[in-house]
Amino acid sequence: MSQIIQPEPALVLFSGGQDSATCLAWALARFSRVETIGFDYGQRHRIELDCRALLLERLRREFPDWGGRLGADHIIDLGVLGQISDTALTRESAISFAASGLPNTFVPGRNLLFFTFAAALGYRRGLRHLVGGMCETDYSGYPDCRDDTLKSLQATLSLGTEHRFVVHTPLMWRDKAATWRLAEALGGAALVELIRRDSHSCYAGDRERLHAWGYGCGTCPACDLRRHGWLEYREGEGGAAEELPAES
Ligand code: ZN
């Protein structure tokens, strides 16, 4: 767990969700120092920003090896994104699916912007390894989550800054169940439990109901994906697959 593979620092795009929390652990197991960046863009599930701080604090406390390598956390105000997007994440509208087949939670090109800001910060702080939890295995069809998009972005960021950036997406070919297995391989049951309780995925921002798979409303697409992944992971573990009643 304390073996460093890359003697260089990295910057993790850390939203406070399951995927980015797993990516953070992946980076802490790999890089000599890890900083985090989060974006405040008026998202409706803003509560994930509050979850970030708690998750970072518990990670430091429960994984002292990693805690020693965990550096600064940066929050970037991208409120301007709310002005140019018209989606369920930034407005109090119902989450439904648009005719395009994309959920209307879609903020066009969001990850392109996130990585561009991460690269600008990374450039200034000497962090050329950028890590994000994008995935095209069981995603919702977001084109800016695709492997080709991010490989192309890596080239663009490197060319545009004359600075070699490496974009890492360790979850690209993993589904949600495999993401839980990765967390277990990285930090055992303690990390799985930390991510289960302290990471946030629910689009509705529900932190009232604790299910077997974590907090959430239980009905939005993010909760649905998270629940299915958890059940598949637990079945694979030979554990109880049935969902436990929600705690409050
Ligand atoms: Zn939900």
Side-chain angles (χ1 to χ4, degrees):
M1 189 169 111
S2 57
Q3 186 191 5
I4 296 175
I5 296 163
Q6 298 258 13
E8 286 184 82
L11 180 62
V12 176
L13 278 69
F14 178 56
S15 69
Q18 178 196 347
D19 290 345
S20 67
T22 307
C23 282
L24 177 55
W26 178 89
L28 285 164
R30 191 164 257 84
F31 295 97
S32 59
R33 183 169 53 85
V34 175
E35 298 190 11
T36 45
I37 183 170
F39 301 96
D40 183 352
Y41 56 100
Q43 55 268 54
R44 212 172 63 158
H45 55 313
R46 254 180 129 267
I47 196 148
E48 72 179 17
L49 292 177
D50 301 331
C51 294
R52 294 173 83 255
L54 187 63
L55 212 151
L56 289 172
E57 182 195 316
R58 290 194 174 155
L59 201 61
R60 277 197 178 90
R61 195 169 60 223
E62 293 176 29
F63 297 86
D65 275 8
W66 289 352
R69 299 208 283 276
L70 188 53
D73 179 37
H74 312 272
I75 295 271
I76 306 295
D77 182 355
L78 281 187
V80 66
L81 213 54
Q83 292 171 29
I84 57 170
S85 60
D86 180 28
T87 77
L89 281 187
T90 49
R91 283 180 44 193
E92 293 294 322
S93 56
I95 293 167
S96 60
F97 286 79
S100 64
L102 291 170
N104 69 353
T105 52
F106 177 58
V107 178
R110 188 178 59 178
N111 289 318
L112 306 182
L113 293 167
F114 287 177
F115 266 113
T116 302
F117 279 97
L121 184 85
Y123 185 99
R124 295 177 60 106
R125 296 183 65 81
L127 306 160
R128 69 189 192 95
H129 292 278
L130 309 177
V131 183
M134 297 78 203
C135 167
E136 70 166 81
T137 303
D138 57 6
Y139 72 152
S140 304
Y142 302 120
D144 59 339
C145 288
R146 289 180 189 144
D147 194 45
D148 283 352
T149 305
L150 294 167
K151 283 192 163 69
S152 149
L153 186 60
Q154 171 180 293
T156 299
L157 293 173
S158 297
L159 287 168
T161 57
E162 277 205 328
H163 189 76
R164 180 70 171 130
F165 281 103
V166 187
V167 172
H168 301 266
T169 52
L171 307 185
M172 185 56 72
W173 308 113
R174 288 180 159 100
D175 62 16
K176 291 284 180 207
T179 298
W180 285 115
R181 288 196 295 276
L182 175 63
E184 188 184 318
L186 288 165
L191 182 64
V192 170
E193 178 57 12
L194 190 142
I195 294 173
R196 186 188 79 93
R197 287 194 78 109
D198 297 329
S199 74
H200 183 84
S201 306
C202 175
Y203 287 146
D206 189 327
R207 295 295 292 175
E208 300 295 312
R209 280 166 285 191
L210 178 61
H211 309 266
W213 41 270
Y215 283 98
C217 71
T219 53
C220 76
C223 282
D224 212 36
L225 197 58
R226 183 156 164 157
R227 180 178 60 246
H228 278 108
W230 174 263
L231 294 179
E232 199 190 318
Y233 161 65
R234 293 292 290 150
E235 274 171 18
E237 296 287 290
E242 77 280 3
E243 195 178 333
L244 301 169
E247 301 164 31
S248 54

